[in-house]
Amino acid sequence: MNTDEWMATDDPRARALEAALARALRPPGLPPGFHARLQARLARERAGEGERAASRAHAQRQQRECLAELDANYLRLRRRTLGTLIGGAFAAGAAVAVALPWLQASFGPNAIYVLASVGALVGLGIGTASWVGRVRIPNPLERL
Amino acid sequence: MQPAPADAAAQDRDIVALLQSGALEPAFQLTLARYQDKVYRLCCTLLRDPTAAEDAAQESLVRIWKAMASYDQRASISTWIYSITRNRCLTAIARRRELASLSDAAVEAEAQAVGGTDTEPADPSGSLRALVDGLPERYRRTLTLFYYEDRSVREVASMLAMPEGSVKTSLFRARAALAEQLRRRGLDDPRHWLESSR
């Protein structure tokens, strides 16, 4: 006997059990105040969603500001470039220490100007060389 | 009578249309009006405790509200809602078991509550209900929801995610088990069943 047959049966016991079950298993109604409590819960969730969205936006803005500040305060250099700069500075210092007595002996009080001129020439040379590489100015030395 | 799922799906087209047009709040209010009772009844059936059922039903409805925007129509609205509700109830049951495992007294009390159907209840009107509560869980759920949902096998199948054939089999076996228990207790006179359930 399946469910449909059970419900359609003429057996008084089956029909009585069916009726008794229908009475015993009445669907429960929603508890009093269910809807109000649900609406309150939804309102709290909505408020929470708003707060979460606001704090997320605030955190993102702060992160952007921190990154911009870092970007503004820091100079990015390749490791090779930094090494060249430090090495060049030490080498220049050592060269001046070695050459200064000889320059003073040869040029007297003008030694300091000669030293400054040589420094300026070396600086200009390095600068020009870097621009030659960057903007692809034809290098006249390559033809030789 | 409750609408069959095909009818229910047709009935839920308005909710789907609202969702597609981006009207989430009206869609949720319509869903709430249509399903909050069913969600509560499903929770009552699965959890057996009205307080826990209300809490689970409310939490399920809040989750439905939150997930409304991401409903992708892979399943019907009702299937989707029942799935969220069942998952919430399963979580509540697992949590209850965890708490019970911490307390031997609670386990003992629960064992007494579950096994208490062997003794005849003092109130004769509760005898049939007590017998239903003593049925194996699968049969109890199916039988209870069947009467809660106005004898709709399809609705029960949708709520419990079971094939309709399995629901019918469970119903048949549940009734047979009930009839056998009543017979064993000498309560198989139809007049007694009708009187005891009043």
Side-chain angles (χ1 to χ4, degrees), chain A residues 1-4 6-7 12-39 41-47 49 52, chain B residues 25 28-29 32 36-37 40-41 44 54-55 57-59 61-62 65-66 128-129 132 143-144 146-148 151 153 167-168 171-172 175-176 178-179 182 188 190 193-194 197-198:
Chain A
M1 188 187 288
N2 64 27
T3 298
D4 302 328
W6 187 292
M7 287 169 72
R13 289 183 183 185
R15 291 175 67 86
L17 180 58
E18 183 64 26
L21 281 169
R23 287 200 183 104
L25 300 174
R26 285 200 186 97
L30 288 177
F34 179 90
H35 200 253
R37 282 192 291 277
L38 176 64
Q39 291 303 330
R41 212 162 172 163
L42 287 169
R44 279 200 302 275
E45 286 291 329
R46 283 189 190 104
E49 286 279 310
R52 275 193 291 276
Chain B
E25 199 54 41
F28 177 70
Q29 291 305 329
L32 200 59
Q36 63 178 357
D37 292 83
Y40 178 65
R41 289 198 290 265
C44 279
E54 181 184 348
D55 195 46
Q58 295 215 352
E59 204 164 308
L61 290 166
V62 168
W65 171 72
K66 280 184 179 174
L128 192 57
R129 182 77 207 216
V132 171
L143 193 72
T144 306
F146 180 70
Y147 290 99
Y148 281 2
R151 297 187 175 95
V153 170
V167 171
K168 287 181 180 175
L171 286 173
F172 172 74
R175 285 192 186 103
L178 274 179
L182 287 165
D188 54 345
W193 301 349
L194 288 170
S197 63
R198 282 199 175 111

Coordinates of all heavy atoms in Angstrom, one line a residue, chain A residues 1-4 6-7 12-39 41-47 49 52, chain B residues 25 28-29 32 36-37 40-41 44 54-55 57-59 61-62 65-66 128-129 132 143-144 146-148 151 153 167-168 171-172 175-176 178-179 182 188 190 193-194 197-198:
Chain A
M1 N 0.9 -1.2 0.0 CA 0.0 0.0 0.0 C 0.9 1.2 0.0 O 1.7 1.4 0.9 CB -0.9 0.0 1.3 CG -1.9 1.1 1.3 SD -2.8 1.1 2.8 CE -3.8 -0.3 2.8
N2 N 0.8 2.1 -1.0 CA 1.6 3.3 -1.0 C 0.8 4.5 -0.3 O -0.3 4.3 0.1 CB 2.1 3.7 -2.4 CG 0.9 4.0 -3.3 OD1 -0.1 4.4 -2.9 ND2 1.1 3.7 -4.6
T3 N 1.4 5.6 -0.3 CA 0.8 6.8 0.4 C -0.6 7.1 -0.2 O -1.6 7.3 0.6 CB 1.7 8.0 0.2 OG1 2.9 7.7 0.8 CG2 1.1 9.2 0.9
D4 N -0.7 7.1 -1.5 CA -2.0 7.5 -2.1 C -3.1 6.4 -1.8 O -4.2 6.8 -1.5 CB -1.9 7.6 -3.7 CG -0.8 8.6 -4.0 OD1 -0.7 9.6 -3.3 OD2 -0.1 8.4 -5.0
W6 N -3.0 4.5 0.8 CA -3.3 4.6 2.2 C -4.4 5.6 2.4 O -5.3 5.4 3.2 CB -2.0 4.9 2.9 CG -2.1 4.9 4.4 CD1 -2.9 5.7 5.2 CD2 -1.6 3.9 5.3 NE1 -2.8 5.3 6.5 CE2 -2.0 4.2 6.6 CE3 -0.7 2.8 5.1 CZ2 -1.6 3.5 7.7 CZ3 -0.3 2.1 6.2 CH2 -0.8 2.4 7.5
M7 N -4.2 6.8 1.8 CA -5.1 7.9 2.0 C -6.5 7.6 1.4 O -7.5 8.1 1.9 CB -4.5 9.2 1.4 CG -3.4 9.7 2.3 SD -2.5 11.0 1.5 CE -3.7 12.3 1.6
P12 N -10.9 1.1 8.0 CA -11.2 2.1 9.0 C -10.0 2.4 9.9 O -9.9 3.6 10.3 CB -12.3 1.5 9.8 CG -12.3 0.0 9.4 CD -11.8 -0.1 8.1
R13 N -9.2 1.4 10.1 CA -8.0 1.7 10.9 C -7.0 2.7 10.3 O -6.5 3.6 10.9 CB -7.2 0.4 11.3 CG -8.0 -0.5 12.2 CD -7.3 -1.7 12.6 NE -8.1 -2.5 13.4 CZ -7.7 -3.6 14.0 NH1 -6.5 -4.1 13.8 NH2 -8.5 -4.3 14.7
A14 N -6.8 2.4 9.0 CA -5.9 3.3 8.2 C -6.5 4.7 8.2 O -5.8 5.7 8.3 CB -5.7 2.8 6.8
R15 N -7.8 4.8 7.9 CA -8.4 6.1 7.8 C -8.4 6.8 9.2 O -8.2 8.0 9.3 CB -9.9 6.0 7.4 CG -10.0 5.5 5.9 CD -11.4 5.3 5.5 NE -12.2 6.5 5.5 CZ -12.3 7.4 4.5 NH1 -11.6 7.1 3.4 NH2 -13.0 8.4 4.5
A16 N -8.6 6.1 10.2 CA -8.6 6.7 11.6 C -7.2 7.1 11.9 O -7.0 8.2 12.5 CB -9.0 5.6 12.6
L17 N -6.2 6.3 11.6 CA -4.8 6.7 11.8 C -4.4 8.0 11.0 O -3.8 8.9 11.6 CB -3.8 5.6 11.5 CG -2.3 5.9 11.7 CD1 -2.0 6.3 13.1 CD2 -1.5 4.7 11.3
E18 N -4.9 8.0 9.8 CA -4.7 9.2 9.0 C -5.3 10.5 9.6 O -4.6 11.5 9.7 CB -5.3 8.9 7.6 CG -5.1 10.0 6.6 CD -3.6 10.2 6.2 OE1 -2.8 9.2 6.4 OE2 -3.2 11.3 5.8
A19 N -6.5 10.3 10.0 CA -7.2 11.5 10.6 C -6.5 11.9 12.0 O -6.3 13.1 12.2 CB -8.6 11.1 10.9
A20 N -6.1 10.8 12.7 CA -5.4 11.1 14.0 C -4.1 11.8 13.8 O -3.7 12.8 14.5 CB -5.2 9.8 14.8
L21 N -3.4 11.4 12.8 CA -2.1 12.0 12.5 C -2.3 13.4 12.0 O -1.5 14.3 12.4 CB -1.3 11.2 11.4 CG -0.6 9.9 11.9 CD1 -0.2 9.1 10.7 CD2 0.6 10.3 12.8
A22 N -3.2 13.6 11.2 CA -3.5 15.0 10.7 C -3.8 15.9 11.9 O -3.4 17.1 11.9 CB -4.6 15.0 9.7
R23 N -4.5 15.4 12.9 CA -4.8 16.2 14.1 C -3.6 16.4 15.0 O -3.4 17.5 15.5 CB -5.9 15.6 14.9 CG -7.3 15.7 14.2 CD -8.4 15.5 15.2 NE -9.7 15.6 14.5 CZ -10.4 14.5 14.3 NH1 -10.0 13.3 14.7 NH2 -11.6 14.6 13.7
A24 N -2.8 15.3 15.1 CA -1.7 15.4 16.0 C -0.5 16.3 15.5 O 0.2 16.9 16.2 CB -1.2 14.0 16.3
L25 N -0.4 16.2 14.1 CA 0.7 17.0 13.5 C 0.2 18.2 12.8 O 0.3 18.4 11.6 CB 1.4 16.0 12.5 CG 2.0 14.8 13.2 CD1 2.6 13.9 12.1 CD2 3.1 15.1 14.1
R26 N -0.4 19.1 13.6 CA -0.9 20.4 13.0 C 0.3 21.3 12.8 O 1.2 21.3 13.7 CB -1.9 21.0 14.0 CG -3.2 20.4 13.9 CD -4.3 21.4 14.5 NE -5.6 20.7 14.6 CZ -6.0 20.1 15.7 NH1 -5.3 20.2 16.8 NH2 -7.2 19.5 15.7
P27 N 0.4 22.0 11.7 CA 1.6 22.8 11.5 C 1.7 23.9 12.5 O 0.7 24.6 12.9 CB 1.3 23.4 10.1 CG -0.1 23.2 9.8 CD -0.6 22.0 10.6
P28 N 2.9 24.1 13.1 CA 3.0 25.2 14.1 C 3.0 26.6 13.4 O 3.6 26.7 12.3 CB 4.4 24.9 14.7 CG 5.1 24.2 13.6 CD 4.1 23.4 12.8
G29 N 2.3 27.5 14.0 CA 2.3 28.9 13.5 C 3.6 29.6 13.9 O 4.3 29.1 14.8
L30 N 3.9 30.7 13.3 CA 5.0 31.5 13.6 C 4.9 32.0 15.1 O 3.8 32.4 15.5 CB 5.2 32.7 12.7 CG 5.7 32.4 11.3 CD1 5.7 33.7 10.5 CD2 7.1 31.8 11.3
P31 N 5.9 32.0 15.9 CA 5.8 32.5 17.2 C 5.4 34.0 17.3 O 5.8 34.7 16.3 CB 7.2 32.3 17.8 CG 8.0 31.5 16.9 CD 7.3 31.6 15.5
P32 N 4.8 34.4 18.3 CA 4.4 35.8 18.4 C 5.7 36.7 18.4 O 6.7 36.4 19.0 CB 3.7 36.0 19.7 CG 3.4 34.6 20.2 CD 4.3 33.7 19.5
G33 N 5.6 37.8 17.6 CA 6.8 38.7 17.5 C 7.9 38.2 16.6 O 8.9 38.8 16.5
F34 N 7.6 37.1 15.9 CA 8.7 36.6 15.0 C 9.1 37.6 13.9 O 10.2 37.9 13.7 CB 8.1 35.3 14.3 CG 9.1 34.7 13.3 CD1 10.0 33.7 13.7 CD2 9.1 35.1 12.0 CE1 10.9 33.1 12.8 CE2 10.0 34.5 11.1 CZ 10.9 33.5 11.5
H35 N 8.0 38.2 13.3 CA 8.3 39.2 12.2 C 9.1 40.4 12.7 O 10.0 40.9 12.1 CB 7.0 39.6 11.5 CG 7.2 40.1 10.2 ND1 7.1 41.4 9.9 CD2 7.6 39.5 9.0 CE1 7.3 41.6 8.6 NE2 7.6 40.5 8.0
A36 N 8.6 40.9 13.9 CA 9.3 42.1 14.5 C 10.8 41.8 14.8 O 11.6 42.6 14.5 CB 8.6 42.5 15.7
R37 N 11.0 40.6 15.4 CA 12.4 40.2 15.7 C 13.2 40.1 14.5 O 14.4 40.4 14.4 CB 12.4 38.9 16.6 CG 12.0 39.2 18.0 CD 12.4 37.9 18.9 NE 11.5 36.8 18.6 CZ 10.3 36.7 19.1 NH1 9.8 37.5 19.9 NH2 9.5 35.6 18.7
L38 N 12.6 39.5 13.4 CA 13.3 39.3 12.2 C 13.7 40.7 11.5 O 14.8 40.9 11.1 CB 12.5 38.5 11.2 CG 13.1 38.3 9.8 CD1 14.4 37.5 9.9 CD2 12.1 37.6 8.9
Q39 N 12.7 41.6 11.6 CA 13.0 42.9 11.0 C 14.1 43.6 11.8 O 14.9 44.3 11.2 CB 11.7 43.8 11.0 CG 10.6 43.3 10.0 CD 11.1 43.2 8.6 OE1 12.0 43.9 8.1 NE2 10.6 42.2 7.8
R41 N 16.5 42.2 13.4 CA 17.7 41.5 13.0 C 18.3 42.0 11.7 O 19.5 42.2 11.5 CB 17.5 40.0 13.0 CG 18.6 39.1 13.4 CD 18.1 37.7 13.7 NE 19.2 36.8 13.9 CZ 19.1 35.7 14.5 NH1 17.9 35.3 14.9 NH2 20.1 34.9 14.6
L42 N 17.3 42.1 10.7 CA 17.7 42.6 9.4 C 18.2 44.0 9.5 O 19.2 44.4 8.8 CB 16.5 42.5 8.4 CG 16.1 41.1 8.0 CD1 14.8 41.1 7.3 CD2 17.2 40.5 7.1
A43 N 17.6 44.8 10.3 CA 18.0 46.2 10.5 C 19.5 46.3 11.0 O 20.3 47.0 10.6 CB 17.1 47.0 11.4
R44 N 19.7 45.4 12.0 CA 21.1 45.3 12.6 C 22.1 44.9 11.5 O 23.2 45.4 11.4 CB 21.1 44.3 13.7 CG 20.7 44.9 15.1 CD 21.2 44.0 16.2 NE 20.8 42.7 16.1 CZ 19.6 42.2 16.6 NH1 18.7 43.0 17.1 NH2 19.3 40.9 16.5
E45 N 21.7 43.9 10.7 CA 22.5 43.5 9.6 C 22.8 44.6 8.6 O 23.9 44.7 8.1 CB 21.9 42.3 8.9 CG 21.9 41.0 9.7 CD 23.4 40.4 9.8 OE1 24.2 40.6 8.9 OE2 23.6 39.8 10.8
R46 N 21.7 45.3 8.3 CA 21.9 46.4 7.3 C 22.9 47.5 7.9 O 23.8 48.0 7.2 CB 20.6 47.1 7.0 CG 19.7 46.3 6.1 CD 18.4 47.1 5.7 NE 17.5 46.2 5.0 CZ 16.4 45.7 5.5 NH1 16.1 46.1 6.8 NH2 15.6 45.0 4.8
A47 N 22.7 47.8 9.2 CA 23.6 48.8 9.8 C 25.0 48.2 9.8 O 26.0 49.0 9.5 CB 23.1 49.0 11.2
E49 N 26.3 46.1 7.7 CA 26.8 46.2 6.3 C 27.3 47.5 6.0 O 28.4 47.7 5.4 CB 25.7 45.8 5.4 CG 25.3 44.4 5.3 CD 26.2 43.5 4.5 OE1 26.5 44.0 3.3 OE2 26.7 42.5 5.0
R52 N 30.5 48.2 7.9 CA 31.6 47.4 7.3 C 32.1 48.1 6.0 O 33.3 48.2 5.7 CB 31.2 46.0 7.0 CG 31.3 45.1 8.2 CD 31.2 43.6 7.8 NE 29.9 43.3 7.4 CZ 28.9 43.0 8.3 NH1 29.1 42.9 9.6 NH2 27.7 42.7 7.9
Chain B
E25 N 15.1 44.4 -2.4 CA 14.2 44.5 -1.2 C 12.8 44.0 -1.5 O 12.3 43.2 -0.7 CB 14.3 46.0 -0.7 CG 13.8 46.1 0.7 CD 14.6 45.3 1.7 OE1 15.8 45.1 1.6 OE2 14.0 44.7 2.6
F28 N 12.9 40.3 -1.7 CA 13.0 39.7 -0.4 C 11.7 39.7 0.4 O 11.3 38.7 1.0 CB 14.1 40.3 0.4 CG 14.3 39.7 1.8 CD1 14.8 38.4 1.9 CD2 13.9 40.4 2.9 CE1 14.9 37.8 3.2 CE2 14.0 39.8 4.2 CZ 14.5 38.6 4.3
Q29 N 11.0 40.8 0.3 CA 9.8 40.9 1.1 C 8.7 39.9 0.6 O 8.0 39.3 1.3 CB 9.2 42.4 1.0 CG 10.0 43.4 1.8 CD 10.3 43.1 3.2 OE1 9.4 42.4 3.9 NE2 11.4 43.5 3.8
L32 N 9.8 36.5 1.7 CA 9.5 36.4 3.2 C 8.0 36.1 3.4 O 7.7 35.2 4.1 CB 9.8 37.8 3.8 CG 10.0 37.8 5.3 CD1 11.2 36.9 5.7 CD2 10.3 39.2 5.8
Q36 N 8.3 32.3 4.8 CA 8.8 32.4 6.2 C 8.1 31.3 7.1 O 8.8 30.7 7.9 CB 8.6 33.7 6.9 CG 7.2 34.2 7.0 CD 7.1 35.6 7.7 OE1 8.1 36.1 8.1 NE2 5.9 36.1 7.7
D37 N 6.8 31.0 6.8 CA 6.2 29.9 7.5 C 6.8 28.6 7.2 O 7.0 27.7 8.1 CB 4.7 29.9 7.2 CG 4.0 31.1 7.7 OD1 4.0 32.2 7.0 OD2 3.4 31.1 8.8
Y40 N 10.1 28.2 8.9 CA 10.0 27.9 10.3 C 9.5 26.5 10.5 O 10.0 25.8 11.4 CB 9.0 28.9 10.9 CG 8.7 28.7 12.4 CD1 9.7 28.8 13.3 CD2 7.5 28.2 12.8 CE1 9.5 28.6 14.7 CE2 7.3 28.0 14.2 CZ 8.3 28.2 15.1 OH 8.1 27.9 16.4
R41 N 8.6 26.0 9.7 CA 8.1 24.6 9.9 C 9.2 23.6 9.6 O 9.4 22.6 10.3 CB 6.9 24.3 9.0 CG 5.7 25.1 9.4 CD 4.4 24.5 8.8 NE 4.3 24.7 7.4 CZ 3.6 25.7 6.9 NH1 3.0 26.6 7.6 NH2 3.6 25.9 5.6
C44 N 11.4 23.7 12.6 CA 10.8 22.9 13.7 C 10.9 21.4 13.6 O 11.2 20.7 14.5 CB 9.3 23.3 13.8 SG 8.9 24.8 14.6
E54 N 13.1 28.8 15.9 CA 12.9 30.3 15.6 C 14.2 30.9 15.2 O 14.4 31.7 14.3 CB 12.2 31.0 16.7 CG 12.0 32.5 16.3 CD 11.4 33.3 17.5 OE1 10.9 32.8 18.5 OE2 11.4 34.5 17.3
D55 N 15.2 30.6 16.1 CA 16.6 31.2 15.9 C 17.1 30.8 14.5 O 17.6 31.6 13.7 CB 17.5 30.7 17.0 CG 18.7 31.6 17.0 OD1 18.6 32.8 17.0 OD2 19.8 31.0 17.1
A57 N 15.4 29.7 11.9 CA 14.6 30.3 10.8 C 15.0 31.7 10.5 O 15.1 32.1 9.4 CB 13.1 30.2 11.2
Q58 N 15.2 32.5 11.6 CA 15.6 33.9 11.5 C 16.9 34.0 10.8 O 17.1 34.8 9.9 CB 15.5 34.6 12.8 CG 14.1 34.6 13.4 CD 13.9 35.9 14.1 OE1 14.8 36.7 14.4 NE2 12.6 36.1 14.5
E59 N 17.8 33.2 11.3 CA 19.2 33.2 10.7 C 19.2 32.8 9.2 O 19.9 33.4 8.4 CB 20.1 32.3 11.5 CG 21.6 32.7 11.4 CD 22.5 32.1 12.4 OE1 22.1 32.2 13.6 OE2 23.5 31.5 12.0
L61 N 16.7 33.2 7.2 CA 16.1 34.3 6.4 C 17.1 35.4 6.2 O 17.1 36.1 5.2 CB 14.8 34.7 7.1 CG 13.6 33.7 7.0 CD1 12.5 34.1 7.9 CD2 13.1 33.6 5.6
V62 N 17.9 35.7 7.2 CA 18.9 36.7 7.1 C 19.9 36.3 6.1 O 20.3 37.2 5.2 CB 19.6 37.0 8.5 CG1 20.8 37.9 8.3 CG2 18.6 37.7 9.4
W65 N 18.4 36.8 2.7 CA 18.5 38.3 2.4 C 19.9 38.7 1.9 O 20.0 39.4 0.9 CB 18.1 39.1 3.6 CG 18.3 40.5 3.5 CD1 17.5 41.4 2.7 CD2 19.3 41.3 4.1 NE1 18.1 42.7 2.8 CE2 19.1 42.7 3.6 CE3 20.3 41.0 4.9 CZ2 20.0 43.7 4.0 CZ3 21.2 42.1 5.3 CH2 21.0 43.4 4.9
K66 N 20.9 38.2 2.6 CA 22.3 38.6 2.2 C 22.6 38.0 0.9 O 23.4 38.6 0.1 CB 23.2 38.0 3.3 CG 23.3 38.9 4.5 CD 24.4 38.3 5.4 CE 24.6 39.1 6.7 NZ 25.6 38.4 7.6
L128 N 0.1 9.7 20.5 CA 0.4 9.6 19.0 C 1.6 10.4 18.7 O 2.5 10.0 18.0 CB -0.8 9.9 18.2 CG -0.7 9.5 16.7 CD1 -0.5 8.1 16.5 CD2 -2.0 9.9 16.0
R129 N 1.6 11.6 19.2 CA 2.7 12.6 18.9 C 4.0 12.0 19.5 O 5.1 12.1 18.8 CB 2.4 13.9 19.6 CG 3.4 15.0 19.4 CD 3.3 15.5 18.0 NE 4.6 16.1 17.6 CZ 4.7 17.1 16.8 NH1 3.6 17.8 16.4 NH2 5.8 17.6 16.4
V132 N 5.2 9.3 17.2 CA 5.8 9.9 16.0 C 7.2 10.3 16.4 O 8.2 10.1 15.6 CB 5.0 11.1 15.5 CG1 5.7 11.8 14.4 CG2 3.6 10.5 15.0
L143 N 7.2 12.2 7.9 CA 5.8 12.1 8.3 C 5.3 13.5 8.8 O 4.3 14.0 8.5 CB 5.6 11.1 9.4 CG 4.2 10.7 9.7 CD1 3.6 9.9 8.6 CD2 4.1 9.9 11.0
T144 N 6.2 14.1 9.7 CA 5.8 15.4 10.3 C 5.6 16.5 9.2 O 4.6 17.2 9.2 CB 6.9 15.8 11.3 OG1 7.1 14.8 12.2 CG2 6.5 17.1 12.0
F146 N 5.0 16.0 6.1 CA 3.9 15.7 5.2 C 2.6 16.3 5.7 O 1.8 16.9 5.0 CB 3.8 14.2 5.1 CG 2.7 13.7 4.3 CD1 2.7 13.8 2.9 CD2 1.6 13.0 4.8 CE1 1.7 13.3 2.1 CE2 0.5 12.5 4.0 CZ 0.6 12.7 2.7
Y147 N 2.4 16.2 7.0 CA 1.1 16.8 7.6 C 1.3 18.3 7.8 O 0.3 19.1 7.6 CB 0.8 16.1 8.9 CG 0.3 14.7 8.6 CD1 1.1 13.6 8.8 CD2 -1.0 14.5 8.1 CE1 0.7 12.4 8.5 CE2 -1.4 13.2 7.8 CZ -0.5 12.1 8.0 OH -1.0 10.9 7.6
Y148 N 2.5 18.8 8.1 CA 2.7 20.3 8.2 C 2.4 20.9 6.8 O 1.9 22.0 6.7 CB 4.1 20.6 8.6 CG 4.4 20.4 10.0 CD1 3.5 20.0 11.0 CD2 5.7 20.7 10.5 CE1 3.8 19.8 12.3 CE2 6.0 20.6 11.9 CZ 5.1 20.1 12.7 OH 5.4 20.0 14.1
R151 N -0.1 17.6 3.3 CA -0.1 16.3 2.6 C 0.5 16.4 1.2 O 0.1 15.7 0.3 CB -1.4 15.6 2.5 CG -2.0 15.3 3.9 CD -3.3 14.5 3.7 NE -3.8 14.0 4.9 CZ -4.8 14.6 5.6 NH1 -5.2 15.8 5.2 NH2 -5.3 14.1 6.7
V153 N 3.4 15.6 -1.1 CA 4.6 14.8 -1.2 C 5.7 15.6 -1.9 O 6.9 15.6 -1.5 CB 4.3 13.5 -1.9 CG1 5.6 12.7 -2.2 CG2 3.4 12.6 -1.1
V167 N 10.2 9.7 -0.4 CA 9.2 10.3 0.6 C 8.1 9.3 0.8 O 7.7 9.1 1.9 CB 8.8 11.7 0.1 CG1 7.6 12.2 0.9 CG2 9.9 12.6 0.1
K168 N 7.5 8.8 -0.4 CA 6.4 7.9 -0.3 C 6.7 6.7 0.5 O 6.0 6.2 1.4 CB 5.9 7.6 -1.7 CG 5.2 8.7 -2.3 CD 4.7 8.3 -3.7 CE 4.0 9.5 -4.4 NZ 3.6 9.2 -5.7
L171 N 7.0 7.5 4.2 CA 5.6 7.7 4.7 C 5.0 6.4 5.0 O 4.4 6.2 6.1 CB 4.8 8.5 3.8 CG 5.1 10.0 3.7 CD1 4.3 10.7 2.6 CD2 4.8 10.7 5.0
F172 N 5.1 5.5 4.0 CA 4.4 4.2 4.2 C 5.1 3.4 5.4 O 4.3 2.9 6.3 CB 4.6 3.3 2.9 CG 4.2 1.9 3.1 CD1 2.8 1.6 3.1 CD2 5.1 0.9 3.2 CE1 2.4 0.3 3.3 CE2 4.7 -0.4 3.4 CZ 3.3 -0.7 3.4
R175 N 4.1 5.0 8.8 CA 2.7 4.7 9.2 C 2.6 3.2 9.6 O 1.9 2.9 10.6 CB 1.7 4.9 8.0 CG 1.4 6.3 7.7 CD 0.3 6.4 6.7 NE 0.0 7.7 6.3 CZ 0.4 8.2 5.1 NH1 1.0 7.4 4.2 NH2 0.1 9.4 4.8
A176 N 3.3 2.3 8.9 CA 3.3 0.9 9.3 C 3.9 0.7 10.7 O 3.4 0.0 11.5 CB 4.1 0.1 8.2
L178 N 4.1 3.0 13.0 CA 3.2 3.6 14.0 C 2.0 2.6 14.3 O 1.7 2.4 15.5 CB 2.6 4.9 13.5 CG 3.3 6.1 13.7 CD1 2.6 7.3 13.0 CD2 3.5 6.4 15.2
A179 N 1.5 2.0 13.2 CA 0.3 1.1 13.4 C 0.8 -0.1 14.3 O 0.0 -0.6 15.1 CB -0.2 0.6 12.0
L182 N 1.2 0.9 17.9 CA -0.2 1.1 18.5 C -0.8 -0.3 18.8 O -1.4 -0.5 19.8 CB -1.1 1.9 17.6 CG -0.7 3.4 17.5 CD1 -1.4 4.1 16.3 CD2 -1.1 4.1 18.8
D188 N -4.9 -0.1 19.1 CA -5.2 -0.2 17.7 C -6.7 0.0 17.4 O -7.2 -0.3 16.3 CB -4.7 -1.4 17.0 CG -5.1 -2.7 17.7 OD1 -5.6 -2.6 18.8 OD2 -5.0 -3.8 17.1
P190 N -9.5 2.2 16.4 CA -9.6 3.6 15.7 C -10.2 4.6 16.6 O -9.7 5.8 16.5 CB -10.4 3.3 14.5 CG -10.3 1.9 14.2 CD -10.1 1.2 15.5
W193 N -7.5 6.2 18.7 CA -6.5 7.1 18.0 C -7.2 8.4 17.8 O -6.5 9.5 18.0 CB -6.2 6.5 16.7 CG -5.5 5.1 16.8 CD1 -5.1 4.5 17.9 CD2 -5.3 4.3 15.7 NE1 -4.5 3.3 17.6 CE2 -4.7 3.1 16.2 CE3 -5.5 4.3 14.3 CZ2 -4.3 2.0 15.4 CZ3 -5.1 3.2 13.5 CH2 -4.5 2.1 14.1
L194 N -8.4 8.4 17.4 CA -9.1 9.7 17.1 C -9.3 10.5 18.4 O -9.0 11.6 18.4 CB -10.4 9.4 16.5 CG -10.3 8.9 15.0 CD1 -11.7 8.4 14.5 CD2 -9.8 10.0 14.1
S197 N -5.9 11.9 19.8 CA -5.3 13.1 19.1 C -6.1 14.3 19.2 O -5.7 15.4 18.7 CB -5.2 12.7 17.6 OG -6.4 12.5 17.1
R198 N -7.3 14.3 19.9 CA -8.1 15.5 20.0 C -7.5 16.4 21.0 O -6.9 16.0 22.0 CB -9.5 15.1 20.4 CG -10.3 14.6 19.2 CD -11.8 14.6 19.4 NE -12.4 14.2 18.1 CZ -13.0 13.0 18.0 NH1 -13.2 12.2 19.0 NH2 -13.5 12.7 16.8

